[in-house]
PDB file of all heavy atoms in Angstrom:
ATOM      1  N   GLU T   1      61.336 109.519  42.863  1.00  0.00           N
ATOM      2  CA  GLU T   1      61.629 110.505  41.822  1.00  0.00           C
ATOM      3  C   GLU T   1      61.275 110.008  40.428  1.00  0.00           C
ATOM      4  O   GLU T   1      61.025 110.804  39.529  1.00  0.00           O
ATOM      5  CB  GLU T   1      63.096 110.918  41.878  1.00  0.00           C
ATOM      6  CG  GLU T   1      63.426 111.827  43.042  1.00  0.00           C
ATOM      7  CD  GLU T   1      64.807 112.456  42.918  1.00  0.00           C
ATOM      8  OE1 GLU T   1      65.389 112.397  41.813  1.00  0.00           O
ATOM      9  OE2 GLU T   1      65.299 112.999  43.919  1.00  0.00           O
ATOM     10  N   ALA T   2      61.253 108.691  40.251  1.00  0.00           N
ATOM     11  CA  ALA T   2      60.908 108.132  38.943  1.00  0.00           C
ATOM     12  C   ALA T   2      59.404 107.950  38.765  1.00  0.00           C
ATOM     13  O   ALA T   2      58.956 107.504  37.717  1.00  0.00           O
ATOM     14  CB  ALA T   2      61.620 106.796  38.749  1.00  0.00           C
ATOM     15  N   GLY T   3      58.624 108.274  39.807  1.00  0.00           N
ATOM     16  CA  GLY T   3      57.180 108.150  39.711  1.00  0.00           C
ATOM     17  C   GLY T   3      56.638 106.806  40.135  1.00  0.00           C
ATOM     18  O   GLY T   3      55.453 106.527  39.937  1.00  0.00           O
ATOM     19  N   GLN T   4      57.482 105.952  40.741  1.00  0.00           N
ATOM     20  CA  GLN T   4      57.018 104.663  41.230  1.00  0.00           C
ATOM     21  C   GLN T   4      56.373 104.816  42.607  1.00  0.00           C
ATOM     22  O   GLN T   4      56.866 105.566  43.455  1.00  0.00           O
ATOM     23  CB  GLN T   4      58.183 103.670  41.314  1.00  0.00           C
ATOM     24  CG  GLN T   4      58.818 103.374  39.965  1.00  0.00           C
ATOM     25  CD  GLN T   4      57.842 102.766  38.980  1.00  0.00           C
ATOM     26  OE1 GLN T   4      57.194 101.760  39.268  1.00  0.00           O
ATOM     27  NE2 GLN T   4      57.730 103.373  37.800  1.00  0.00           N
ATOM     28  N   ILE T   5      55.290 104.089  42.828  1.00  0.00           N
ATOM     29  CA  ILE T   5      54.532 104.231  44.071  1.00  0.00           C
ATOM     30  C   ILE T   5      55.206 103.457  45.194  1.00  0.00           C
ATOM     31  O   ILE T   5      55.637 102.315  45.019  1.00  0.00           O
ATOM     32  CB  ILE T   5      53.095 103.753  43.873  1.00  0.00           C
ATOM     33  CG1 ILE T   5      52.385 104.681  42.891  1.00  0.00           C
ATOM     34  CG2 ILE T   5      52.333 103.695  45.192  1.00  0.00           C
ATOM     35  CD1 ILE T   5      51.069 104.179  42.418  1.00  0.00           C
ATOM     36  N   ARG T   6      55.302 104.104  46.357  1.00  0.00           N
ATOM     37  CA  ARG T   6      55.832 103.469  47.558  1.00  0.00           C
ATOM     38  C   ARG T   6      54.732 103.454  48.608  1.00  0.00           C
ATOM     39  O   ARG T   6      54.149 104.489  48.926  1.00  0.00           O
ATOM     40  CB  ARG T   6      57.051 104.236  48.073  1.00  0.00           C
ATOM     41  CG  ARG T   6      58.199 104.296  47.085  1.00  0.00           C
ATOM     42  CD  ARG T   6      59.390 105.056  47.628  1.00  0.00           C
ATOM     43  NE  ARG T   6      59.097 106.455  47.870  1.00  0.00           N
ATOM     44  CZ  ARG T   6      60.032 107.405  47.972  1.00  0.00           C
ATOM     45  NH1 ARG T   6      61.312 107.082  47.867  1.00  0.00           N
ATOM     46  NH2 ARG T   6      59.689 108.650  48.198  1.00  0.00           N
ATOM     47  N   LEU T   7      54.455 102.266  49.150  1.00  0.00           N
ATOM     48  CA  LEU T   7      53.438 102.108  50.173  1.00  0.00           C
ATOM     49  C   LEU T   7      54.083 101.987  51.547  1.00  0.00           C
ATOM     50  O   LEU T   7      55.190 101.480  51.690  1.00  0.00           O
ATOM     51  CB  LEU T   7      52.607 100.855  49.905  1.00  0.00           C
ATOM     52  CG  LEU T   7      51.785 100.832  48.610  1.00  0.00           C
ATOM     53  CD1 LEU T   7      51.105  99.483  48.452  1.00  0.00           C
ATOM     54  CD2 LEU T   7      50.769 101.958  48.569  1.00  0.00           C
ATOM     55  N   SER T   8      53.351 102.471  52.550  1.00  0.00           N
ATOM     56  CA  SER T   8      53.793 102.338  53.934  1.00  0.00           C
ATOM     57  C   SER T   8      52.554 102.134  54.812  1.00  0.00           C
ATOM     58  O   SER T   8      51.424 102.392  54.377  1.00  0.00           O
ATOM     59  CB  SER T   8      54.586 103.568  54.383  1.00  0.00           C
ATOM     60  OG  SER T   8      53.826 104.756  54.224  1.00  0.00           O
ATOM     61  N   PRO T   9      52.744 101.655  56.057  1.00  0.00           N
ATOM     62  CA  PRO T   9      51.578 101.408  56.923  1.00  0.00           C
ATOM     63  C   PRO T   9      50.744 102.664  57.140  1.00  0.00           C
ATOM     64  O   PRO T   9      51.271 103.783  57.180  1.00  0.00           O
ATOM     65  CB  PRO T   9      52.227 100.934  58.230  1.00  0.00           C
ATOM     66  CG  PRO T   9      53.524 100.341  57.808  1.00  0.00           C
ATOM     67  CD  PRO T   9      54.001 101.202  56.674  1.00  0.00           C
ATOM     68  N   PRO T  10      49.427 102.518  57.289  1.00  0.00           N
ATOM     69  CA  PRO T  10      48.544 103.681  57.434  1.00  0.00           C
ATOM     70  C   PRO T  10      48.847 104.464  58.699  1.00  0.00           C
ATOM     71  O   PRO T  10      49.068 103.888  59.767  1.00  0.00           O
ATOM     72  CB  PRO T  10      47.141 103.060  57.484  1.00  0.00           C
ATOM     73  CG  PRO T  10      47.369 101.644  57.924  1.00  0.00           C
ATOM     74  CD  PRO T  10      48.679 101.241  57.349  1.00  0.00           C
ATOM     75  N   GLY T  11      48.877 105.789  58.559  1.00  0.00           N
ATOM     76  CA  GLY T  11      49.092 106.671  59.700  1.00  0.00           C
ATOM     77  C   GLY T  11      50.532 107.021  59.968  1.00  0.00           C
ATOM     78  O   GLY T  11      50.808 107.860  60.820  1.00  0.00           O
ATOM     79  N   GLU T  12      51.472 106.451  59.231  1.00  0.00           N
ATOM     80  CA  GLU T  12      52.888 106.726  59.473  1.00  0.00           C
ATOM     81  C   GLU T  12      53.331 108.060  58.881  1.00  0.00           C
ATOM     82  O   GLU T  12      54.197 108.731  59.419  1.00  0.00           O
ATOM     83  CB  GLU T  12      53.771 105.607  58.911  1.00  0.00           C
ATOM     84  CG  GLU T  12      53.839 104.374  59.774  1.00  0.00           C
ATOM     85  CD  GLU T  12      54.974 103.453  59.376  1.00  0.00           C
ATOM     86  OE1 GLU T  12      55.647 103.725  58.352  1.00  0.00           O
ATOM     87  OE2 GLU T  12      55.202 102.472  60.102  1.00  0.00           O
ATOM     88  N   SER T  13      52.762 108.438  57.761  1.00  0.00           N
ATOM     89  CA  SER T  13      53.194 109.639  57.056  1.00  0.00           C
ATOM     90  C   SER T  13      52.643 110.889  57.720  1.00  0.00           C
ATOM     91  O   SER T  13      51.554 110.897  58.301  1.00  0.00           O
ATOM     92  CB  SER T  13      52.712 109.586  55.602  1.00  0.00           C
ATOM     93  OG  SER T  13      52.891 110.827  54.963  1.00  0.00           O
ATOM     94  N   ASP T  14      53.415 111.995  57.616  1.00  0.00           N
ATOM     95  CA  ASP T  14      52.960 113.283  58.133  1.00  0.00           C
ATOM     96  C   ASP T  14      51.757 113.817  57.359  1.00  0.00           C
ATOM     97  O   ASP T  14      51.047 114.688  57.861  1.00  0.00           O
ATOM     98  CB  ASP T  14      54.097 114.309  58.070  1.00  0.00           C
ATOM     99  CG  ASP T  14      55.225 113.990  59.034  1.00  0.00           C
ATOM    100  OD1 ASP T  14      54.985 113.249  60.004  1.00  0.00           O
ATOM    101  OD2 ASP T  14      56.347 114.489  58.806  1.00  0.00           O
ATOM    102  N   VAL T  15      51.555 113.310  56.154  1.00  0.00           N
ATOM    103  CA  VAL T  15      50.432 113.785  55.340  1.00  0.00           C
ATOM    104  C   VAL T  15      49.367 112.690  55.188  1.00  0.00           C
ATOM    105  O   VAL T  15      48.545 112.737  54.268  1.00  0.00           O
ATOM    106  CB  VAL T  15      50.911 114.261  53.951  1.00  0.00           C
ATOM    107  CG1 VAL T  15      51.857 115.437  54.100  1.00  0.00           C
ATOM    108  CG2 VAL T  15      51.580 113.136  53.169  1.00  0.00           C
ATOM    109  N   SER T  16      49.352 111.741  56.092  1.00  0.00           N
ATOM    110  CA  SER T  16      48.386 110.644  56.008  1.00  0.00           C
ATOM    111  C   SER T  16      46.976 111.110  56.355  1.00  0.00           C
ATOM    112  O   SER T  16      46.763 111.840  57.329  1.00  0.00           O
ATOM    113  CB  SER T  16      48.790 109.522  56.965  1.00  0.00           C
ATOM    114  OG  SER T  16      47.814 108.498  56.961  1.00  0.00           O
ATOM    115  N   ALA T  17      46.018 110.673  55.542  1.00  0.00           N
ATOM    116  CA  ALA T  17      44.599 110.863  55.852  1.00  0.00           C
ATOM    117  C   ALA T  17      43.936 109.535  56.198  1.00  0.00           C
ATOM    118  O   ALA T  17      42.711 109.462  56.285  1.00  0.00           O
ATOM    119  CB  ALA T  17      43.884 111.513  54.668  1.00  0.00           C
ATOM    120  N   ALA T  18      44.744 108.499  56.407  1.00  0.00           N
ATOM    121  CA  ALA T  18      44.184 107.168  56.688  1.00  0.00           C
ATOM    122  C   ALA T  18      43.399 107.146  57.989  1.00  0.00           C
ATOM    123  O   ALA T  18      42.392 106.438  58.103  1.00  0.00           O
ATOM    124  CB  ALA T  18      45.307 106.130  56.721  1.00  0.00           C
ATOM    125  N   THR T  19      43.834 107.928  58.982  1.00  0.00           N
ATOM    126  CA  THR T  19      43.137 107.922  60.272  1.00  0.00           C
ATOM    127  C   THR T  19      41.793 108.640  60.198  1.00  0.00           C
ATOM    128  O   THR T  19      40.985 108.520  61.114  1.00  0.00           O
ATOM    129  CB  THR T  19      44.011 108.575  61.352  1.00  0.00           C
ATOM    130  OG1 THR T  19      44.365 109.901  60.950  1.00  0.00           O
ATOM    131  CG2 THR T  19      45.285 107.766  61.579  1.00  0.00           C
ATOM    132  N   TRP T  20      41.554 109.383  59.118  1.00  0.00           N
ATOM    133  CA  TRP T  20      40.261 110.050  58.944  1.00  0.00           C
ATOM    134  C   TRP T  20      39.248 109.139  58.263  1.00  0.00           C
ATOM    135  O   TRP T  20      38.089 109.526  58.079  1.00  0.00           O
ATOM    136  CB  TRP T  20      40.377 111.277  58.050  1.00  0.00           C
ATOM    137  CG  TRP T  20      41.496 112.219  58.304  1.00  0.00           C
ATOM    138  CD1 TRP T  20      42.386 112.225  59.357  1.00  0.00           C
ATOM    139  CD2 TRP T  20      41.857 113.322  57.479  1.00  0.00           C
ATOM    140  NE1 TRP T  20      43.267 113.252  59.218  1.00  0.00           N
ATOM    141  CE2 TRP T  20      42.971 113.942  58.086  1.00  0.00           C
ATOM    142  CE3 TRP T  20      41.343 113.848  56.290  1.00  0.00           C
ATOM    143  CZ2 TRP T  20      43.585 115.058  57.540  1.00  0.00           C
ATOM    144  CZ3 TRP T  20      41.953 114.957  55.747  1.00  0.00           C
ATOM    145  CH2 TRP T  20      43.059 115.569  56.361  1.00  0.00           C
ATOM    146  N   THR T  21      39.674 107.975  57.830  1.00  0.00           N
ATOM    147  CA  THR T  21      38.947 107.220  56.825  1.00  0.00           C
ATOM    148  C   THR T  21      38.403 105.899  57.356  1.00  0.00           C
ATOM    149  O   THR T  21      39.084 105.178  58.094  1.00  0.00           O
ATOM    150  CB  THR T  21      39.880 106.944  55.625  1.00  0.00           C
ATOM    151  OG1 THR T  21      40.407 108.187  55.146  1.00  0.00           O
ATOM    152  CG2 THR T  21      39.143 106.256  54.508  1.00  0.00           C
ATOM    153  N   ARG T  22      37.176 105.592  56.970  1.00  0.00           N
ATOM    154  CA  ARG T  22      36.560 104.304  57.242  1.00  0.00           C
ATOM    155  C   ARG T  22      35.997 103.771  55.926  1.00  0.00           C
ATOM    156  O   ARG T  22      35.617 104.543  55.038  1.00  0.00           O
ATOM    157  CB  ARG T  22      35.435 104.429  58.273  1.00  0.00           C
ATOM    158  CG  ARG T  22      35.887 104.960  59.631  1.00  0.00           C
ATOM    159  CD  ARG T  22      36.780 103.982  60.353  1.00  0.00           C
ATOM    160  NE  ARG T  22      37.185 104.481  61.663  1.00  0.00           N
ATOM    161  CZ  ARG T  22      38.270 105.189  61.895  1.00  0.00           C
ATOM    162  NH1 ARG T  22      39.074 105.530  60.871  1.00  0.00           N
ATOM    163  NH2 ARG T  22      38.580 105.596  63.104  1.00  0.00           N
ATOM    164  N   PHE T  23      35.946 102.456  55.787  1.00  0.00           N
ATOM    165  CA  PHE T  23      35.434 101.864  54.543  1.00  0.00           C
ATOM    166  C   PHE T  23      34.688 100.574  54.864  1.00  0.00           C
ATOM    167  O   PHE T  23      34.880  99.969  55.926  1.00  0.00           O
ATOM    168  CB  PHE T  23      36.579 101.588  53.563  1.00  0.00           C
ATOM    169  CG  PHE T  23      37.575 100.578  54.075  1.00  0.00           C
ATOM    170  CD1 PHE T  23      37.418  99.232  53.803  1.00  0.00           C
ATOM    171  CD2 PHE T  23      38.661 100.981  54.843  1.00  0.00           C
ATOM    172  CE1 PHE T  23      38.313  98.296  54.285  1.00  0.00           C
ATOM    173  CE2 PHE T  23      39.567 100.053  55.320  1.00  0.00           C
ATOM    174  CZ  PHE T  23      39.390  98.706  55.054  1.00  0.00           C
ATOM    175  N   SER T  24      33.847 100.178  53.945  1.00  0.00           N
ATOM    176  CA  SER T  24      33.072  98.946  54.109  1.00  0.00           C
ATOM    177  C   SER T  24      32.675  98.431  52.724  1.00  0.00           C
ATOM    178  O   SER T  24      32.328  99.236  51.844  1.00  0.00           O
ATOM    179  CB  SER T  24      31.813  99.220  54.942  1.00  0.00           C
ATOM    180  OG  SER T  24      31.052  98.052  55.104  1.00  0.00           O
ATOM    181  N   PRO T  25      32.753  97.104  52.508  1.00  0.00           N
ATOM    182  CA  PRO T  25      33.149  96.041  53.432  1.00  0.00           C
ATOM    183  C   PRO T  25      34.660  95.880  53.505  1.00  0.00           C
ATOM    184  O   PRO T  25      35.393  96.492  52.721  1.00  0.00           O
ATOM    185  CB  PRO T  25      32.507  94.802  52.796  1.00  0.00           C
ATOM    186  CG  PRO T  25      32.544  95.090  51.326  1.00  0.00           C
ATOM    187  CD  PRO T  25      32.290  96.566  51.205  1.00  0.00           C
ATOM    188  N   ALA T  26      35.115  95.031  54.433  1.00  0.00           N
ATOM    189  CA  ALA T  26      36.547  94.760  54.579  1.00  0.00           C
ATOM    190  C   ALA T  26      36.970  93.535  53.771  1.00  0.00           C
ATOM    191  O   ALA T  26      38.168  93.346  53.542  1.00  0.00           O
ATOM    192  CB  ALA T  26      36.898  94.556  56.050  1.00  0.00           C
ATOM    193  N   PHE T  27      35.986  92.708  53.372  1.00  0.00           N
ATOM    194  CA  PHE T  27      36.275  91.495  52.595  1.00  0.00           C
ATOM    195  C   PHE T  27      35.269  91.383  51.466  1.00  0.00           C
ATOM    196  O   PHE T  27      34.091  91.731  51.626  1.00  0.00           O
ATOM    197  CB  PHE T  27      36.208  90.241  53.470  1.00  0.00           C
ATOM    198  CG  PHE T  27      37.132  90.270  54.655  1.00  0.00           C
ATOM    199  CD1 PHE T  27      36.660  90.697  55.891  1.00  0.00           C
ATOM    200  CD2 PHE T  27      38.450  89.899  54.536  1.00  0.00           C
ATOM    201  CE1 PHE T  27      37.497  90.741  56.999  1.00  0.00           C
ATOM    202  CE2 PHE T  27      39.303  89.939  55.631  1.00  0.00           C
ATOM    203  CZ  PHE T  27      38.834  90.357  56.864  1.00  0.00           C
ATOM    204  N   LEU T  28      35.730  90.878  50.323  1.00  0.00           N
ATOM    205  CA  LEU T  28      34.859  90.674  49.168  1.00  0.00           C
ATOM    206  C   LEU T  28      35.179  89.337  48.511  1.00  0.00           C
ATOM    207  O   LEU T  28      36.354  88.952  48.402  1.00  0.00           O
ATOM    208  CB  LEU T  28      35.078  91.777  48.119  1.00  0.00           C
ATOM    209  CG  LEU T  28      34.482  93.154  48.364  1.00  0.00           C
ATOM    210  CD1 LEU T  28      34.957  94.106  47.268  1.00  0.00           C
ATOM    211  CD2 LEU T  28      32.972  93.098  48.393  1.00  0.00           C
ATOM    212  N   THR T  29      34.149  88.642  48.077  1.00  0.00           N
ATOM    213  CA  THR T  29      34.317  87.489  47.212  1.00  0.00           C
ATOM    214  C   THR T  29      33.524  87.756  45.946  1.00  0.00           C
ATOM    215  O   THR T  29      32.307  87.962  45.997  1.00  0.00           O
ATOM    216  CB  THR T  29      33.835  86.193  47.884  1.00  0.00           C
ATOM    217  OG1 THR T  29      34.643  85.941  49.046  1.00  0.00           O
ATOM    218  CG2 THR T  29      33.956  85.017  46.937  1.00  0.00           C
ATOM    219  N   LEU T  30      34.240  87.795  44.827  1.00  0.00           N
ATOM    220  CA  LEU T  30      33.620  88.164  43.558  1.00  0.00           C
ATOM    221  C   LEU T  30      33.596  86.955  42.626  1.00  0.00           C
ATOM    222  O   LEU T  30      34.643  86.374  42.311  1.00  0.00           O
ATOM    223  CB  LEU T  30      34.399  89.302  42.898  1.00  0.00           C
ATOM    224  CG  LEU T  30      34.478  90.614  43.679  1.00  0.00           C
ATOM    225  CD1 LEU T  30      35.369  91.613  42.946  1.00  0.00           C
ATOM    226  CD2 LEU T  30      33.090  91.196  43.891  1.00  0.00           C
ATOM    227  N   LYS T  31      32.398  86.635  42.174  1.00  0.00           N
ATOM    228  CA  LYS T  31      32.259  85.584  41.176  1.00  0.00           C
ATOM    229  C   LYS T  31      32.684  86.136  39.808  1.00  0.00           C
ATOM    230  O   LYS T  31      32.818  87.348  39.628  1.00  0.00           O
ATOM    231  CB  LYS T  31      30.813  85.107  41.136  1.00  0.00           C
ATOM    232  CG  LYS T  31      30.345  84.459  42.430  1.00  0.00           C
ATOM    233  CD  LYS T  31      28.884  84.053  42.344  1.00  0.00           C
ATOM    234  CE  LYS T  31      28.416  83.417  43.647  1.00  0.00           C
ATOM    235  NZ  LYS T  31      26.981  83.040  43.600  1.00  0.00           N
ATOM    236  N   PRO T  32      32.911  85.276  38.841  1.00  0.00           N
ATOM    237  CA  PRO T  32      33.301  85.758  37.509  1.00  0.00           C
ATOM    238  C   PRO T  32      32.325  86.799  36.965  1.00  0.00           C
ATOM    239  O   PRO T  32      31.112  86.593  36.971  1.00  0.00           O
ATOM    240  CB  PRO T  32      33.292  84.478  36.665  1.00  0.00           C
ATOM    241  CG  PRO T  32      33.584  83.390  37.646  1.00  0.00           C
ATOM    242  CD  PRO T  32      32.892  83.801  38.917  1.00  0.00           C
ATOM    243  N   GLY T  33      32.864  87.930  36.545  1.00  0.00           N
ATOM    244  CA  GLY T  33      32.050  89.009  35.981  1.00  0.00           C
ATOM    245  C   GLY T  33      31.313  89.860  36.992  1.00  0.00           C
ATOM    246  O   GLY T  33      30.604  90.802  36.613  1.00  0.00           O
ATOM    247  N   GLU T  34      31.474  89.589  38.284  1.00  0.00           N
ATOM    248  CA  GLU T  34      30.722  90.303  39.311  1.00  0.00           C
ATOM    249  C   GLU T  34      31.431  91.595  39.720  1.00  0.00           C
ATOM    250  O   GLU T  34      32.662  91.665  39.772  1.00  0.00           O
ATOM    251  CB  GLU T  34      30.539  89.409  40.534  1.00  0.00           C
ATOM    252  CG  GLU T  34      29.594  89.973  41.589  1.00  0.00           C
ATOM    253  CD  GLU T  34      29.337  88.998  42.718  1.00  0.00           C
ATOM    254  OE1 GLU T  34      30.095  88.011  42.859  1.00  0.00           O
ATOM    255  OE2 GLU T  34      28.369  89.218  43.469  1.00  0.00           O
ATOM    256  N   THR T  35      30.647  92.620  40.055  1.00  0.00           N
ATOM    257  CA  THR T  35      31.152  93.919  40.526  1.00  0.00           C
ATOM    258  C   THR T  35      30.513  94.257  41.861  1.00  0.00           C
ATOM    259  O   THR T  35      29.312  94.067  42.042  1.00  0.00           O
ATOM    260  CB  THR T  35      30.846  95.037  39.519  1.00  0.00           C
ATOM    261  OG1 THR T  35      31.486  94.749  38.278  1.00  0.00           O
ATOM    262  CG2 THR T  35      31.353  96.387  40.031  1.00  0.00           C
ATOM    263  N   GLU T  36      31.313  94.747  42.789  1.00  0.00           N
ATOM    264  CA  GLU T  36      30.811  95.190  44.089  1.00  0.00           C
ATOM    265  C   GLU T  36      31.314  96.601  44.376  1.00  0.00           C
ATOM    266  O   GLU T  36      32.337  97.039  43.836  1.00  0.00           O
ATOM    267  CB  GLU T  36      31.278  94.253  45.204  1.00  0.00           C
ATOM    268  CG  GLU T  36      30.673  92.871  45.169  1.00  0.00           C
ATOM    269  CD  GLU T  36      29.216  92.855  45.617  1.00  0.00           C
ATOM    270  OE1 GLU T  36      28.732  93.886  46.124  1.00  0.00           O
ATOM    271  OE2 GLU T  36      28.576  91.792  45.463  1.00  0.00           O
ATOM    272  N   GLN T  37      30.584  97.298  45.244  1.00  0.00           N
ATOM    273  CA  GLN T  37      30.953  98.652  45.637  1.00  0.00           C
ATOM    274  C   GLN T  37      31.571  98.664  47.032  1.00  0.00           C
ATOM    275  O   GLN T  37      31.098  97.958  47.932  1.00  0.00           O
ATOM    276  CB  GLN T  37      29.735  99.571  45.622  1.00  0.00           C
ATOM    277  CG  GLN T  37      29.181  99.840  44.236  1.00  0.00           C
ATOM    278  CD  GLN T  37      28.050 100.851  44.258  1.00  0.00           C
ATOM    279  OE1 GLN T  37      27.381 101.039  45.275  1.00  0.00           O
ATOM    280  NE2 GLN T  37      27.828 101.516  43.135  1.00  0.00           N
ATOM    281  N   VAL T  38      32.616  99.459  47.176  1.00  0.00           N
ATOM    282  CA  VAL T  38      33.215  99.718  48.480  1.00  0.00           C
ATOM    283  C   VAL T  38      32.929 101.174  48.820  1.00  0.00           C
ATOM    284  O   VAL T  38      33.202 102.076  48.020  1.00  0.00           O
ATOM    285  CB  VAL T  38      34.733  99.457  48.473  1.00  0.00           C
ATOM    286  CG1 VAL T  38      35.343  99.782  49.836  1.00  0.00           C
ATOM    287  CG2 VAL T  38      35.024  98.019  48.092  1.00  0.00           C
ATOM    288  N   ILE T  39      32.349 101.404  49.993  1.00  0.00           N
ATOM    289  CA  ILE T  39      32.014 102.755  50.437  1.00  0.00           C
ATOM    290  C   ILE T  39      33.161 103.285  51.292  1.00  0.00           C
ATOM    291  O   ILE T  39      33.541 102.657  52.288  1.00  0.00           O
ATOM    292  CB  ILE T  39      30.705 102.773  51.253  1.00  0.00           C
ATOM    293  CG1 ILE T  39      29.575 102.109  50.450  1.00  0.00           C
ATOM    294  CG2 ILE T  39      30.337 104.199  51.638  1.00  0.00           C
ATOM    295  CD1 ILE T  39      29.273 102.784  49.137  1.00  0.00           C
ATOM    296  N   VAL T  40      33.702 104.422  50.889  1.00  0.00           N
ATOM    297  CA  VAL T  40      34.811 105.042  51.612  1.00  0.00           C
ATOM    298  C   VAL T  40      34.312 106.367  52.194  1.00  0.00           C
ATOM    299  O   VAL T  40      33.905 107.268  51.454  1.00  0.00           O
ATOM    300  CB  VAL T  40      36.014 105.296  50.683  1.00  0.00           C
ATOM    301  CG1 VAL T  40      37.184 105.883  51.471  1.00  0.00           C
ATOM    302  CG2 VAL T  40      36.442 104.005  49.992  1.00  0.00           C
ATOM    303  N   ASP T  41      34.314 106.470  53.522  1.00  0.00           N
ATOM    304  CA  ASP T  41      33.882 107.681  54.218  1.00  0.00           C
ATOM    305  C   ASP T  41      35.090 108.378  54.827  1.00  0.00           C
ATOM    306  O   ASP T  41      35.903 107.751  55.520  1.00  0.00           O
ATOM    307  CB  ASP T  41      32.875 107.351  55.310  1.00  0.00           C
ATOM    308  CG  ASP T  41      31.529 106.944  54.755  1.00  0.00           C
ATOM    309  OD1 ASP T  41      31.033 107.652  53.851  1.00  0.00           O
ATOM    310  OD2 ASP T  41      30.977 105.918  55.198  1.00  0.00           O
ATOM    311  N   MET T  42      35.194 109.696  54.585  1.00  0.00           N
ATOM    312  CA  MET T  42      36.305 110.505  55.085  1.00  0.00           C
ATOM    313  C   MET T  42      35.766 111.641  55.936  1.00  0.00           C
ATOM    314  O   MET T  42      34.878 112.369  55.494  1.00  0.00           O
ATOM    315  CB  MET T  42      37.115 111.063  53.907  1.00  0.00           C
ATOM    316  CG  MET T  42      37.788 109.993  53.055  1.00  0.00           C
ATOM    317  SD  MET T  42      38.001 110.506  51.321  1.00  0.00           S
ATOM    318  CE  MET T  42      36.338 110.187  50.676  1.00  0.00           C
TER     319      MET T  42
END
């Protein structure tokens, strides 16, 4: 009610879209100043 975010395991919620979703990569190592893209497919 105060607007604080609550996290729970994926797929537990009745309104979860986590099971529709795939992403890549699963791991990243970023050097100083480096930027990488994560692709999220729904």
Side-chain angles (χ1 to χ4, degrees):
E1 286 192 14
Q4 297 300 306
I5 294 169
R6 299 180 296 200
L7 297 176
S8 57
E12 281 195 354
S13 169
D14 292 339
V15 298
S16 176
T19 57
W20 314 352
T21 305
R22 299 292 181 269
F23 63 91
S24 180
F27 303 95
L28 284 174
T29 297
L30 299 176
K31 296 178 181 179
E34 189 174 16
T35 299
E36 292 286 350
Q37 292 185 336
V38 178
I39 306 300
V40 183
D41 288 313
M42 296 151 280

